[in-house]
Amino acid sequence: MRRVSRLLVTMVVALLGVCAFLGYRGEFALVEPQFVAQAQAPVLVPMDPVVVADQVEAALVNIDVETAGFGGGAAGSGIVLTADGQILTSHHVIKGADELRVTDIANGLVYEATVLGYDSGADIALLSLAGASGLPVARLGTSADLRITQDVLAIGDAGGDGGEPTAVTGPITDLNATIVAMNSADLTRKALNGMVEVAAPVMGGQSGGALADATGAVIGVITAASGEASRTEGNPPNGYAVPIDTAMRIVTQIRSGTPTDTVHIGPTATLGVQVIDGRPAGAQVSWAFYGQPAREAGITIGDVITAIDGVSITTAKALSAAINLRKPADPVRLDVTSPDGVTRTVEAVLAQGTPT
């Protein structure tokens, strides 16, 4: 039975499943909200949560993620964009995924999924389901017409247990919120801008699910919430969503097959290193993983990568961006400076990694 409530929100993110003994929960919890209130005329269309949820839920999927790196799994939601199985979801739902299995709400079938592309900075990803056809497709609205105080509905797999979607409602309280979200899976923090803020009890597992208006049109992709800390401090709960117009611009870029500095296309390539900013410049290797391209090429801890294929690398972020534009099995030529100041050029072939 679908649950529609206005209870306090605690979280909204990929719910990490049970690991070896204790279980592990990966989530985006709000760390630092900044609010940009905008006075808007109220929307007169009334919200009927039951009717809207009925309209939207058939175009949703549950996403189960196997993440070998963490020894466990994750769960989230997704929105069906095409009858042949293109799925819109949050990037953090599929981050680090070794294997993706997607259950369609409408037909109950389970599909293997591949990642078509993602923008980690905007927290948006696009998946493709193998062998899918005839899936009910979400009706998309526009986020350009949203108004402060407008009632909306957030719906997705709140428990992360692959059950029926859970829906919660509340008014829009901000159209351009900036938050700093923390993913407890890897403790990374990410600034997210231009978020739609909703005073609604969004829950774990609804990440990647739909934010819908009173007509049943999808107007956002659920991504984060104010979390437990906000509730403890007595602040009102809030959920956050990427506006659908922003999400679909990223989808269009992914579908074009052309990568950018922010949008990754297809399988993820990896050099197999962890890096930090080098001094005075470059990407300094803090760890080179066994069996991965960098270590096989003789790159070790303390080495500083200063160029890739003749293009200067000045920061760790610049190296990640350069790898982001390449594909697994691509050869690369790296300029490397050892801790003793000796420079050399090495060649490596990029391996296939998990979404980063």
Side-chain angles (χ1 to χ4, degrees):
M1 176 177 181
R2 178 181 308 105
R3 297 161 290 172
V4 181
S5 74
R6 295 176 181 269
L7 298 177
L8 293 179
V9 61
T10 58
M11 60 187 168
V12 59
V13 292
L15 177 67
L16 287 199
V18 175
C19 301
F21 292 101
L22 295 179
Y24 194 80
R25 181 180 300 268
E27 60 185 49
F28 267 0
L30 180 64
V31 177
E32 301 170 11
Q34 300 175 17
F35 307 104
V36 184
Q38 299 183 17
Q40 301 284 356
V43 175
L44 300 180
V45 178
M47 168 67 70
D48 186 327
V50 174
V51 171
V52 173
D54 280 339
Q55 293 175 341
V56 177
E57 71 172 22
L60 298 179
V61 299
N62 295 332
I63 301 174
D64 291 316
V65 182
E66 294 296 330
T67 54
F70 296 115
S77 304
I79 303 165
V80 181
L81 295 184
T82 65
D84 62 354
Q86 285 194 359
I87 306 298
L88 174 63
T89 188
S90 299
H91 165 263
H92 76 267
V93 169
I94 57 94
K95 182 180 181 181
D98 287 296
E99 184 178 353
L100 293 168
R101 289 188 301 275
V102 175
T103 303
D104 184 68
I105 298 297
N107 62 26
L109 297 179
V110 179
Y111 302 90
E112 296 295 323
T114 57
V115 179
L116 295 179
Y118 54 83
D119 185 331
S120 61
D123 201 29
I124 290 294
L126 184 65
L127 313 180
S128 178
L129 307 186
S133 64
L135 303 184
V137 175
R139 180 167 60 86
L140 303 183
T142 176
S143 47
D145 298 332
L146 297 179
R147 299 290 182 266
I148 298 292
T149 75
Q150 176 180 348
D151 283 333
V152 290
L153 178 142
I155 183 170
D157 181 19
D161 56 6
E164 292 185 1
T166 298
V168 293
T169 60
I172 293 176
T173 51
D174 198 342
L175 295 171
N176 189 27
T178 296
I179 64 175
V180 176
M182 184 176 70
N183 188 339
S184 64
D186 55 11
L187 302 182
T188 57
R189 295 186 179 189
K190 177 185 299 183
L192 298 172
N193 304 308
M195 298 289 102
V196 177
E197 179 189 75
V198 182
V202 183
M203 291 169 272
Q206 287 181 313
S207 283
L211 190 70
D213 65 15
T215 72
V218 176
I219 46 83
V221 182
I222 303 167
T223 192
S226 52
E228 187 69 24
S230 179
R231 186 177 69 172
T232 301
E233 294 170 2
N235 296 322
N238 295 299
Y240 297 88
V242 178
I244 195 63
D245 294 354
T246 300
M248 290 308 296
R249 282 195 293 270
I250 296 168
V251 167
T252 298
Q253 184 66 42
I254 293 171
R255 287 171 172 170
S256 76
T258 304
T260 70
D261 287 344
T262 59
V263 176
H264 178 83
I265 305 296
T268 303
T270 182
L271 189 58
V273 292
Q274 290 179 343
V275 292
I276 59 176
D277 288 345
R279 295 183 180 181
Q284 183 175 344
V285 177
S286 56
W287 188 256
F289 292 95
Y290 289 97
Q292 294 296 309
R295 198 175 190 97
E296 294 295 314
I299 295 175
T300 61
I301 297 173
D303 283 343
V304 178
I305 299 172
T306 59
I308 181 169
D309 293 331
V311 178
S312 177
I313 296 296
T314 57
T315 63
K317 184 177 180 179
L319 179 62
S320 297
I323 299 298
N324 182 64
L325 295 173
R326 290 163 168 80
K327 299 178 181 179
D330 281 354
V332 292
R333 189 178 71 258
L334 305 168
D335 292 349
V336 180
T337 301
S338 302
D340 60 6
V342 175
T343 61
R344 66 190 190 279
T345 299
V346 301
E347 294 183 351
V349 177
L350 298 177
Q352 181 164 335
T354 59
T356 58

